[in-house]
Amino acid sequence: MTILAVLLGGALGTGLRLALDALLPHADAGFPWSTLLANVAGSFLLGLLVGRFEFSTPVWARAGLRTGVLGSFTTFSALAVSFVALVDTAQWGLALAYLGATLLLGLAAAALGLGIGTRRRMPPLQVTE
């Protein structure tokens, strides 16, 4: 069940990522807004999910949402490719600004999501035998 949830979640996250890239396209020498937005939004959502549903959601659902949906929506490889493309076009300042913004905003978004989720935490899942 967990593997199926991750597979289906991955398909959904990949589709959402493609839609975001289509809405916010960028050239190699341009700022990768879609990648930044995906990674920051995904960081926030992951923090929110962990904070709110960590103990109240079945493992398969957590894996489907976290690893599946958010894992395919946010990608380190996209961050790396965008960074290298900016460096390759001698956009050093933009590349460093992008890297710094991604790290700082991603960490802040994750902390915010975790804080909100923890305040609204669902009660623990009751296991029946």
Side-chain angles (χ1 to χ4, degrees):
M1 181 70 138
T2 301
I3 292 174
L4 181 60
V6 171
L7 288 171
L8 294 174
L12 176 62
T14 301
L16 291 170
R17 178 54 185 270
L18 181 61
L20 185 59
D21 284 342
L23 286 172
L24 298 171
H26 66 87
D28 285 348
F31 194 86
W33 288 106
S34 62
T35 305
L36 177 66
L37 182 59
N39 288 332
V40 172
S43 296
F44 172 78
L45 291 171
L46 182 58
L48 186 67
L49 289 172
V50 168
R52 180 163 176 137
F53 301 109
E54 181 65 21
F55 305 108
S56 63
T57 307
V59 171
W60 65 267
R62 290 194 315 257
L65 289 171
R66 292 180 194 173
T67 305
V69 176
L70 295 177
S72 62
F73 182 66
T74 64
T75 59
F76 183 78
S77 59
L79 176 135
V81 166
S82 295
F83 178 79
V84 169
L86 289 169
V87 168
D88 193 47
T89 59
Q91 302 279 337
W92 283 97
L94 199 55
L96 292 174
Y98 166 63
L99 185 62
T102 299
L103 293 174
L104 292 175
L105 292 173
L107 289 171
L112 179 63
L114 188 59
I116 291 170
T118 301
R119 282 193 288 282
R120 294 190 161 86
R121 181 165 278 159
M122 300 294 288
L125 194 71
Q126 299 298 318
V127 179
T128 58
E129 294 181 36

